[in-house]
Amino acid sequence: EAGVVQSPRYKIIEKKQPVAFWCNPISGHNTLYWYRQNLGQGPELLIRYENEEAVDDSQLPKDRFSAERLKGVDSTLKIQPAELGDSAVYLCASSLGGEVYGYTFGSGTRLTVV
Amino acid sequence: GQQLNQSPQSMFIQEGEDVSMNCTSSSIFNTWLWYKQDPGEGPVLLIALYKAGELTSNGRLTAQFGITRKDSFLNISASIPSDVGIYFCAGQDPGTASKLTFGTGTRLQVTL
C-alpha cells in the first residue's frame, strides 16, 4: 500500500514569492491534515479536512496561507507571499475517520525562504 | 501553538544501554502516542496508549500513560544503532478527536 505522498520534497524560494505543496493521502482515508514543523520542534497542526470540508483551520495564518482539498482526495497548501519565518517542513498526514492508529505522515516538504 | 514538554532534550548513550524519556502537559489527554522521526522523514507511530495507568510494550519499547492523564513515559531497552532519531510524544485532544499536540522532541544518539 502506498503511503502518504508529498511533493516537492524540497523547495527554495525568495521571500514574497508564492509556493504550493501537494499531498496525496492513503487511498480511502477521509481525514487529511497539514502540519508545520519548525526546526527543533514537533509538528503543529495547520488545518484538518474531513473529506473536502476544512473542519479545523484555526491555526492557519489565513492572511497568506490557503488550502484546498478538491473531491476529498488530494490537497494543496499554498503560501502567498512567503516570508522568511515560513521556512519549515510541511507535513501532510491522513487517517480513516480520525482514528489514531492509522494516522500516517508523509515525508514532508522542506521549505527554505531566502 | 501549544507544545508538550519533553525531557531530556537530547541523549547520548552507548549501544546496549536502556533509555528513558518523558513528556508532560498542562492539560489532560485521552490518548498518548509516541512517534519516532528519522531525518528527512515524517513521524512514525511506535506506541499508542488509550487509558490512564496503561503500560504498553512494542518489542524493546515500553510506554506508560500517566495516572493524571497529563504525562507519559517511554523506555527503550538494550538500545541499538537504529534507535537513533528524534522521539516525539503526542496527545490526542479530547475536544477534537483527531487533533494531535506534539512534544518538543528528544534526540537520541547511540554510540557503539
Side-chain angles (χ1 to χ4, degrees):
Chain A
E1 176 185 90
V4 176
V5 179
Q6 290 187 247
S7 69
R9 287 298 309 271
Y10 305 93
K11 190 74 176 179
I12 301 175
I13 62 170
E14 293 185 342
K15 62 182 180 182
K16 301 185 181 179
Q17 294 301 305
V19 64
F21 315 123
W22 176 81
C23 174
N24 178 238
I26 290 175
S27 177
H29 279 192
N30 61 321
T31 307
L32 184 146
Y33 318 77
W34 284 101
Y35 282 81
R36 177 169 59 189
Q37 185 174 22
N38 293 316
L39 187 65
Q41 299 291 318
E44 293 182 275
L45 182 69
L46 290 174
I47 190 169
R48 175 170 66 96
Y49 281 93
E50 297 289 345
N51 299 306
E52 61 270 13
E53 182 184 358
V55 296
D56 183 358
D57 63 356
S58 57
Q59 302 302 311
L60 190 72
K62 298 182 183 63
D63 56 336
R64 297 183 300 106
F65 286 65
S66 64
E68 60 182 9
R69 190 183 184 197
L70 299 176
K71 300 181 181 179
V73 182
D74 294 359
S75 178
T76 303
L77 179 68
K78 298 178 182 177
I79 308 174
Q80 182 171 10
E83 296 178 353
L84 295 177
D86 296 331
S87 295
V89 174
Y90 291 83
L91 292 163
C92 178
S94 70
S95 70
L96 183 62
E99 196 271 312
V100 169
Y101 233 94
Y103 208 114
T104 304
F105 283 88
S107 298
T109 296
R110 179 176 295 277
L111 173 67
T112 302
V113 182
V114 297
Chain B
Q2 179 192 10
Q3 294 248 298
L4 307 179
N5 295 315
Q6 276 187 251
S7 65
Q9 196 171 16
S10 62
M11 306 178 72
F12 289 83
I13 63 168
Q14 287 195 326
E15 184 178 5
E17 289 185 348
D18 297 344
V19 173
S20 292
M21 60 189 80
N22 65 12
C23 186
T24 59
S25 169
S26 57
S27 53
I28 63 173
F29 290 107
N30 289 343
T31 302
W32 280 92
L33 307 133
W34 285 92
Y35 286 84
K36 179 175 182 274
Q37 187 173 28
D38 292 326
E41 299 296 328
V44 174
L45 181 65
L46 298 174
I47 291 181
L49 302 154
Y50 299 102
K51 188 176 174 182
E54 179 182 356
L55 188 71
T56 297
S57 294
N58 178 8
R60 294 178 296 106
L61 277 60
T62 301
Q64 184 162 23
F65 191 144
I67 290 292
T68 65
R69 296 168 65 192
K70 292 184 178 181
D71 58 3
S72 181
F73 305 87
L74 177 69
N75 295 314
I76 306 173
S77 63
S79 58
I80 59 178
S82 62
D83 291 334
V84 167
I86 304 177
Y87 291 79
F88 290 100
C89 61
Q92 187 174 30
D93 190 333
T96 308
S98 61
K99 177 182 176 181
L100 297 182
T101 301
F102 280 82
T104 48
T106 293
R107 182 181 296 273
L108 179 63
Q109 301 271 37
V110 179
T111 58
L112 300 176

